[in-house]
Amino acid sequence: MASGVVGEEVRNKQVILKDYVSGFPKESDMQVINGTMKLKLQEGSHGIVVKNLYLSCDPYMRSRMTRVEGPNVFTSYTPGSQPLTGFGVAKVLDSGHPNFKKGDLIWGTNSWEEYSLITELEGLFKIKNTDVPLSYYTGILGMPGLTAYVGFYEVCSPKKGEYVFISAASGAVGQLVGQFAKLMGCYVVGSAGSKEKVDLLRNKFGFDEAFNYKEETDLDGALKRYFPEGIDIYFENVGGKMLDAVLLNMKDHGRISVCGQVSQYNILDQPEGVQNLMCLIYKRIHMKGFVVFDYYNIYPKFLDVMLPYIREGKIMYVEDIAEGLESGPAALVGLYSGRNVGKQVVLIARE
Amino acid sequence: MASGVVGEEVRNKQVILKDYVSGFPKESDMQVINGTMKLKLQEGSHGIVVKNLYLSCDPYMRSRMTRVEGPNVFTSYTPGSQPLTGFGVAKVLDSGHPNFKKGDLIWGTNSWEEYSLITELEGLFKIKNTDVPLSYYTGILGMPGLTAYVGFYEVCSPKKGEYVFISAASGAVGQLVGQFAKLMGCYVVGSAGSKEKVDLLRNKFGFDEAFNYKEETDLDGALKRYFPEGIDIYFENVGGKMLDAVLLNMKDHGRISVCGQVSQYNILDQPEGVQNLMCLIYKRIHMKGFVVFDYYNIYPKFLDVMLPYIREGKIMYVEDIAEGLESGPAALVGLYSGRNVGKQVVLIARE
């Protein structure tokens, strides 16, 4: 890690993956090790040295813990040596690049460690608005926020009065999609995995209805209860049985925005089969997968919409912040058992 | 059947379904019965009396042999009394409607019987061009032709040079989609279920490659062989394991036009699960089901394109014509074992 930097060494704690994971990840699949790091760039370097402040725990990270054959949108982690990578917020300590200077706050791809040397600067955004919590740039104002925004507005073509269903609805993305849909005048129902989360959806995020999918033995029946006339838009975060039940309850010309399938990430070897795809034909359903990276160009527009929403209290946002890099593995693993309530963040250091 | 008509009775053979079908339909699930029919309309009727000439055997008919719960794009057949319905070509014998007159040739929804009284005239088209075989209006110039046309041009957004895969490629729809794709300058591969069909695809319809899916133990491997760079457009006619293998081989931003899933029609109680839907996300795939009825308004435009193609020999077309209404049940059942080669038609009477 220290190549390209000079000066005195400081301790640099890192979270590494011990080996590729199969099934549900455990805290013990990761390890916190003590590295070292020099905080000054070598002469001529075009990279930046940063102090990491917040790390983002995101469901997609599970797929990077598996060895992926062939090309994929995500590269697998390197067990045993390199720290995990993900999204985060950091402060620039030294810069060899004209776009960044010491003291700048940034968000984007970074590593699970206290300090990083970043040489790939694409996909880093400078944080200009600091009247909102910095941690927001791991969520509502970062990748998950943009994901919710493009997944709903660009992929679903929503219209006022439509019936919208969101799975994993209290997560970083789902909570925002539901609020976007309410702001547009849609009828919104979300599913989540605990009473506490269901209460959040109803009482904090303003969903019209919400239910705990773990308490429903018949998902098809549950959806028929909440959507007697059917679903226009499904924002898909979970896959498997839920998707199958949703297909049976879509309206003609319905749209499914495929954002994630978290129920399947830990059973990649043998994913659940989805049986009701014939509904795509009869109901003329439009199903579209998307990856937020394709929409990075609209981030400035997104920020222009979101910042006023946040400042005016039109959009609520709930975070679940774990303190200290050491708490990272447990926080990340908790995503897959649904332990987090709201967006899971790890605080490494206050500014 | 004789309500609304007067005059002398003639024999009217009909094909009826004996009972709802589960699993693969058998010839013995149907029965040819002798009804009677009067060929003159009663005074004041706004319907038409027709002599049926050709019947179309189409895969979707299987789903109408099952009792369908709730609303569906197709209504179930009524076993025991009413003849099957489907698409066909007929000649008007008597008309009470200003749009039709005695002697007109029509195509559209009709019944599996020698003569019909039709009172629902929506979805009937008058045949104006008779320099091509009349049977073509059950296929290349009828519902399957329009299905191929809208499914490829409207749903797939094809571009020159793209890689196109078509399953059930020698069927009424598939053979046309492949030729449309070739005319556009795409690379086209089709799958079918016999050597004879594969030869047709290669030698008659001009596909770049074709393979017999029944001889492939590893569909994923087969697709990798034919599409080392991946598939841009998949025209989906079969579902199940083929769809799963295709998902693994789609290119980023690929499009899947979901036209049919014939491999699943006989196992509706327990369809095969599709496991690789996660590819929709990573590969940003756009998957869209469609029903041809939504596009009937473009039929005149379609005809303007197709008639010259046929006359100039730019599009080839293969029919499998069974003679006589009595051969109807065997012809229809043969669709599901893949016995037909090309579009399956039943000739009831020559004009």
Side-chain angles (χ1 to χ4, degrees), chain B residues 27-294:
Chain B
E27 222 181 304
S28 60
D29 289 326
M30 286 164 271
Q31 188 178 8
V32 180
I33 62 170
N34 279 314
T36 58
M37 172 83 177
K38 292 176 178 172
L39 301 184
K40 286 291 290 177
L41 284 166
Q42 268 181 342
E43 197 71 30
S45 165
H46 298 298
I48 59 176
V49 172
V50 302
K51 178 182 182 185
N52 293 314
L53 305 178
Y54 292 97
L55 295 176
S56 177
C57 296
D58 294 297
Y60 81 90
M61 294 170 75
R62 172 62 188 86
S63 58
R64 305 186 62 185
M65 299 180 189
T66 305
R67 188 199 300 271
V68 174
E69 311 282 345
N72 201 308
V73 70
F74 303 118
T75 51
S76 299
Y77 293 133
T78 308
S81 60
Q82 299 296 311
L84 303 189
T85 55
F87 288 87
V89 171
K91 185 173 191 169
V92 177
L93 299 183
D94 195 12
S95 173
H97 194 280
N99 288 359
F100 298 92
K101 63 175 196 301
K102 185 175 170 177
D104 279 351
L105 292 162
I106 57 166
W107 77 266
T109 307
N110 73 353
S111 297
W112 281 47
E113 58 188 351
E114 291 178 286
Y115 301 97
S116 300
L117 167 67
I118 307 179
T119 53
E120 286 284 339
L121 303 179
E122 247 183 76
L124 290 185
F125 295 88
K126 261 205 280 200
I127 295 174
K128 291 170 188 157
N129 301 89
T130 55
D131 61 328
V132 293
L134 272 185
S135 57
Y136 279 23
Y137 290 92
T138 66
I140 186 170
L141 293 175
M143 183 277 288
L146 187 60
T147 300
Y149 184 85
V150 301
F152 184 65
Y153 292 112
E154 306 275 324
V155 180
C156 293
S157 313
K159 288 188 288 289
K160 186 178 171 178
E162 287 195 316
Y163 292 81
V164 176
F165 177 58
I166 301 156
S167 53
S170 72
V173 174
Q175 58 176 272
L176 296 176
V177 174
Q179 293 179 84
F180 291 148
K182 283 309 301 174
L183 285 168
M184 176 158 269
C186 297
Y187 180 84
V188 182
V189 179
S191 64
S194 74
K195 183 179 180 309
E196 186 182 6
K197 293 177 183 179
V198 167
D199 288 346
L200 262 185
L201 295 177
R202 286 213 189 101
N203 304 324
K204 177 109 185 169
F205 300 133
F207 283 50
D208 294 287
E209 286 289 351
F211 67 90
N212 181 350
Y213 72 92
K214 291 179 181 168
E215 286 178 353
E216 301 289 344
T217 49
D218 172 14
L219 291 173
D220 175 35
L223 290 170
K224 287 196 164 44
R225 213 161 65 225
Y226 291 109
F227 295 99
E229 296 179 56
I231 299 166
D232 290 296
I233 290 175
Y234 173 47
F235 198 96
E236 153 77 320
N237 287 316
V238 306
K241 289 186 179 62
M242 183 63 92
L243 176 57
D244 246 341
V246 167
L247 284 165
L248 295 175
N249 288 281
M250 291 297 289
K251 286 169 77 165
D252 284 359
H253 305 286
R255 284 135 277 147
I256 299 179
S257 168
V258 191
C259 175
Q261 300 204 314
V262 69
S263 76
Q264 306 301 299
Y265 293 171
N266 300 301
I267 49 170
L268 286 176
D269 300 343
Q270 198 57 40
E272 283 176 336
V274 172
Q275 298 188 310
N276 296 325
L277 290 175
M278 203 104 79
C279 295
L280 295 181
I281 306 172
Y282 298 149
K283 297 166 184 267
R284 297 89 152 158
I285 294 169
H286 190 144
M287 191 168 178
K288 192 170 182 335
F290 73 101
V291 171
V292 66
F293 309 139
D294 298 340

Side-chain angles (χ1 to χ4, degrees), chain A residues 43 65 82 150:
Chain A
E43 197 72 30
M65 298 180 189
Q82 298 297 310
V150 301

Side-chain angles (χ1 to χ4, degrees), chain A residues 66-182:
Chain A
T66 305
R67 188 199 301 271
V68 174
E69 309 283 345
N72 201 309
V73 69
F74 303 117
T75 51
S76 299
Y77 292 133
T78 308
S81 60
Q82 298 297 310
L84 303 189
T85 54
F87 289 87
V89 171
K91 185 174 190 168
V92 177
L93 300 182
D94 195 11
S95 172
H97 194 281
N99 288 359
F100 298 93
K101 63 176 198 300
K102 184 174 170 177
D104 278 351
L105 291 163
I106 59 167
W107 78 265
T109 307
N110 73 354
S111 298
W112 281 47
E113 58 189 352
E114 292 178 285
Y115 301 95
S116 300
L117 166 69
I118 307 179
T119 53
E120 286 284 338
L121 304 179
E122 248 184 75
L124 290 186
F125 295 88
K126 261 204 281 202
I127 295 173
K128 290 169 188 158
N129 301 91
T130 54
D131 61 325
V132 294
L134 272 184
S135 57
Y136 278 23
Y137 290 91
T138 66
I140 186 170
L141 294 176
M143 183 278 287
L146 186 62
T147 300
Y149 184 85
V150 301
F152 184 65
Y153 291 110
E154 307 274 324
V155 180
C156 293
S157 313
K159 289 188 287 290
K160 186 179 172 179
E162 287 194 315
Y163 293 81
V164 176
F165 177 56
I166 302 156
S167 54
S170 73
V173 174
Q175 59 175 271
L176 296 176
V177 173
Q179 293 179 83
F180 291 148
K182 283 309 300 173

Side-chain angles (χ1 to χ4, degrees), chain A residues 15 17 21 25 30 55-66 74-77 83-87 110-112 143 262 265-266 328 332 335-336 343-344, chain B residues 282:
Chain A
V15 177
L17 193 65
V21 174
M30 286 163 271
L55 295 177
S56 176
C57 296
D58 294 297
Y60 80 91
M61 295 171 75
R62 172 62 188 83
S63 59
R64 305 186 63 184
M65 298 180 189
T66 305
F74 303 117
T75 51
S76 299
Y77 292 133
L84 303 189
T85 54
F87 289 87
N110 73 354
S111 298
W112 281 47
M143 183 278 287
V262 69
Y265 294 170
N266 300 300
L332 181 55
L335 284 184
Y336 307 104
K343 165 67 190 175
Q344 182 68 58
Chain B
Y282 298 149

Side-chain angles (χ1 to χ4, degrees), chain A residues 136-256:
Chain A
Y136 278 23
Y137 290 91
T138 66
I140 186 170
L141 294 176
M143 183 278 287
L146 186 62
T147 300
Y149 184 85
V150 301
F152 184 65
Y153 291 110
E154 307 274 324
V155 180
C156 293
S157 313
K159 289 188 287 290
K160 186 179 172 179
E162 287 194 315
Y163 293 81
V164 176
F165 177 56
I166 302 156
S167 54
S170 73
V173 174
Q175 59 175 271
L176 296 176
V177 173
Q179 293 179 83
F180 291 148
K182 283 309 300 173
L183 284 169
M184 175 158 270
C186 296
Y187 181 83
V188 182
V189 179
S191 64
S194 74
K195 183 179 180 308
E196 185 182 6
K197 292 177 183 178
V198 166
D199 288 345
L200 260 186
L201 294 177
R202 286 212 189 101
N203 304 324
K204 175 111 186 170
F205 300 132
F207 283 49
D208 294 288
E209 285 289 351
F211 65 91
N212 180 350
Y213 72 92
K214 291 180 182 168
E215 286 179 354
E216 301 289 343
T217 50
D218 171 14
L219 289 173
D220 175 35
L223 290 171
K224 287 195 165 43
R225 215 162 62 224
Y226 291 108
F227 295 99
E229 296 178 57
I231 299 166
D232 290 295
I233 290 174
Y234 172 46
F235 199 95
E236 154 78 319
N237 287 315
V238 305
K241 290 186 180 63
M242 182 64 92
L243 176 57
D244 246 341
V246 167
L247 284 165
L248 295 175
N249 287 282
M250 290 298 288
K251 286 169 79 164
D252 284 1
H253 304 286
R255 285 134 278 150
I256 299 178

